[in-house]
Amino acid sequence: MITKSAISPGMNTLITRIEPQTRAAFAALFRLSWPVIASRVGVMLMALMDTIIVGQHSSAQLGYLTLAQALHWVPALTSMGLLMGVQVKTSHFIGAGDLHRVGAVFQRGIGYALMLGIGFMAILLLGGTHFLGLVVKQDMVAGAHLPLILFACSIPVFLPGQVGSLFLEALGRTRDTLIATLIANALNVALLLLLVPGHVTLLGIHFEGAMGAATATLIARGLQSAGLLIHILRLKETKPFDLLGRQEKDHHGAVEQRHVGYATGAAYFIEVGAFAGMTMFAGHIGEIEVASWTIVLNYASVVFMVPMGLSACSVLVGKAFGAGDGAALARMGRVSFISAGAFMTAVVIFTALFAGVISRFYSHDPHLLPNVQMGLLLSCFFFIPDGLQVVAAQALRARKDILAPTVIHYVSYGAIMLPLGFLFSIVFGWGVAGLVWAVVAASLISGTFQTARFLWLDRRAARIMPA
């Protein structure tokens, strides 16, 4: 039996040295973030299940699905970034006690979501297939054409639901978004099992493989968005905001909301655009390479959702910023960095030990497995800096440091990763390994500079504070 006296004195010392305020900060972060993490994982779980079920059905269909998903995620994730002002400004106004300004934030967010969704859908419908034809083989373009149309049509129904999720997170109701995400994923899996094997033909369209997965995504996203928005409007907590009523004009709040969105959207655009470019490089090489890269990227994306969820620290940082509490702001930043770093360290250990098992979970194709296992092992070099950079970037935006994280993203992923990916994978002939090494370089640069920027701002604020 282990007694209290048997516990390491060093561990006791460590626990007692953690200040009560720091322990409270960890507790607040985990209470807020665990449902957000689960919800974010749920968002990627749709793509994960698409990849697994389609991958088990056909490697060729997985390649078509990947190309369609990669191209649609550029405007979809960019739009999610453009809408991030909903979460940040709602947190600011609640922290400052300006509750009368919250309703306008929500209404602007819904309006922006519809405009962005319809606009990007039109762009993909008109030019998406033509763009694919410029960079990948024609037989793969033909297979990705119809799935891309369905993914494009899903964007206008997906984005209003994202506004609802961000709004609920700012209110601290993160479990609500988790429940909605779990229901949507259950529906998506059921539809995948029905459609992907090719059991359904409707109006002359055979819903098999990539086409079945895209259809499942469209239906699940639409129902999830509708459910979230109805739930928000029925909440007693939102009644004082008069979300459907006429709101007072708030030019200053609208400008700040858009500025947060511009910065976050620009950062998301360059990162997801760069990764989509890397997928196109893989598609230029061949079907095996694009399928292998898809699996590596999908696994990394699911893992990435945990630090993405921990970036809900922006709600706590935003409230501290709105209240003018510099000490709490600095404390929340450090607690978030430690949490993200610890989790990603565990991911590195798990991935290094079980890369082979993970590879076989996605596919049993003997042509894919060596590439996938090698890619997963190399990914261990970027997991930790990648987790830190997303948390630090969102914490910076929550303290109104808008420009710096965007510039760091552009340099890291646009100016460095994309050219290196082309050089390593195609010019040097390293294939999937070259793509992963390019991600390692970009993540190290972004993670280092984003985190250093936050800590530097803390030190500068401490120096200028009056004694």
Side-chain angles (χ1 to χ4, degrees):
M1 180 177 178
I2 300 176
T3 64
K4 185 175 180 180
S5 60
I7 299 175
S8 166
M11 181 61 69
N12 275 329
T13 303
L14 177 62
I15 294 173
T16 56
R17 283 184 177 178
I18 300 177
E19 297 178 354
Q21 289 177 318
T22 302
R23 291 199 296 269
F26 274 110
L29 176 64
F30 292 139
R31 278 196 306 270
L32 178 68
S33 62
W34 80 258
V36 180
I37 291 169
S39 180
R40 294 286 191 271
V41 169
V43 171
M44 289 310 303
L45 190 58
M46 282 195 186
L48 172 65
M49 296 311 298
D50 290 353
T51 300
I52 292 172
I53 294 176
V54 175
Q56 296 287 348
H57 176 69
S58 165
S59 295
Q61 288 290 329
L62 178 57
Y64 306 150
L65 175 68
T66 298
L67 293 174
Q69 280 185 334
L71 196 56
H72 115 280
W73 274 124
V74 176
L77 285 178
T78 299
S79 298
M80 289 174 63
L82 289 168
L83 297 171
M84 192 60 71
V86 172
Q87 185 193 73
V88 172
K89 292 312 300 178
T90 300
S91 300
H92 282 176
F93 292 151
I94 291 175
D98 296 331
L99 301 185
H100 63 284
R101 304 173 73 182
V102 171
V105 174
F106 178 81
Q107 289 187 359
R108 285 192 294 268
I110 294 295
Y112 297 157
L114 292 174
M115 288 189 292
L116 290 166
I118 294 171
F120 281 129
M121 177 185 69
I123 291 172
L124 285 179
L125 292 177
L126 293 173
T129 303
H130 297 294
F131 176 78
L132 284 178
L134 297 175
V135 290
V136 301
K137 297 177 179 179
Q138 287 304 312
D139 59 331
M140 299 193 73
V141 175
H145 173 64
L146 288 178
L148 178 59
I149 291 176
L150 289 179
F151 279 122
C153 292
S154 74
I155 297 177
V157 300
F158 169 65
L159 293 180
Q162 289 303 299
V163 171
S165 294
L166 292 169
F167 188 71
L168 287 169
E169 289 168 11
L171 297 179
R173 298 188 64 97
T174 51
R175 296 186 185 186
D176 299 14
T177 61
L178 170 59
I179 293 171
T181 302
L182 292 175
I183 294 172
N185 273 282
L187 175 61
N188 183 61
V189 170
L191 290 170
L192 286 171
L193 294 174
L194 172 66
L195 297 174
V196 170
H199 300 319
V200 177
T201 300
L202 185 64
L203 299 177
I205 301 174
H206 192 48
F207 292 88
E208 179 190 4
M211 190 65 181
T215 304
T217 297
L218 173 61
I219 295 172
R221 282 179 172 179
L223 293 177
Q224 180 181 10
S225 291
L228 275 172
L229 295 179
I230 292 170
H231 173 66
I232 289 171
L233 295 175
R234 291 171 58 87
L235 282 174
K236 290 182 180 180
E237 189 175 342
T238 63
K239 298 299 182 185
F241 303 144
D242 193 19
L243 298 180
L244 294 179
R246 186 178 180 85
Q247 302 291 328
E248 296 180 8
K249 290 186 177 180
D250 185 4
H251 176 72
H252 182 67
V255 169
E256 288 194 340
Q257 182 175 342
R258 288 195 298 271
H259 282 177
V260 172
Y262 295 152
T264 312
Y268 280 19
F269 170 76
I270 190 59
E271 187 167 351
V272 71
F275 276 101
M278 304 277 270
T279 299
M280 301 305 153
F281 296 158
H284 181 78
I285 300 170
E287 287 183 359
I288 293 298
E289 284 74 18
V290 74
S292 302
W293 169 248
T294 298
I295 293 172
V296 172
L297 190 59
N298 183 268
Y299 176 76
S301 297
V302 173
V303 167
F304 180 73
M305 289 300 106
V306 174
M308 191 76 170
L310 288 171
S311 70
C313 70
S314 63
V315 173
L316 302 173
V317 171
K319 288 180 179 179
F321 184 88
D325 190 344
L329 188 155
R331 187 182 307 112
M332 282 312 312
R334 285 161 172 75
V335 163
S336 302
F337 301 157
I338 292 169
S339 301
F343 174 79
M344 297 308 272
T345 299
V347 168
V348 168
I349 296 171
F350 176 82
T351 306
L353 291 175
F354 300 106
V357 176
I358 297 168
S359 302
R360 289 187 293 275
F361 179 72
Y362 279 95
S363 176
H364 293 284
D365 189 331
H367 300 291
L368 288 181
L369 290 177
N371 269 344
V372 174
Q373 187 169 350
M374 173 269 301
L376 289 173
L377 290 172
L378 291 179
S379 298
C380 293
F381 289 106
F382 72 71
F383 283 142
I384 295 173
D386 197 35
L388 287 174
Q389 65 92 14
V390 67
V391 172
Q394 200 57 22
L396 285 169
R397 295 183 188 106
R399 65 188 301 169
K400 290 190 176 181
D401 186 32
I402 304 299
L403 181 61
T406 305
V407 171
I408 294 169
H409 265 99
Y410 265 95
V411 172
S412 302
Y413 293 98
I416 294 175
M417 185 185 79
L418 200 56
L420 285 181
F422 178 81
L423 181 68
F424 292 164
S425 67
I426 296 178
V427 178
F428 290 178
W430 295 354
V432 173
L435 297 176
V436 178
W437 279 120
V439 179
V440 171
S443 298
L444 285 171
I445 293 169
S446 183
T448 299
F449 281 93
Q450 301 279 22
T451 308
R453 172 74 178 175
F454 189 94
L455 299 176
W456 177 78
L457 287 175
D458 283 346
R459 288 194 296 271
R460 188 180 70 169
R463 286 197 300 269
I464 64 176
M465 283 182 61

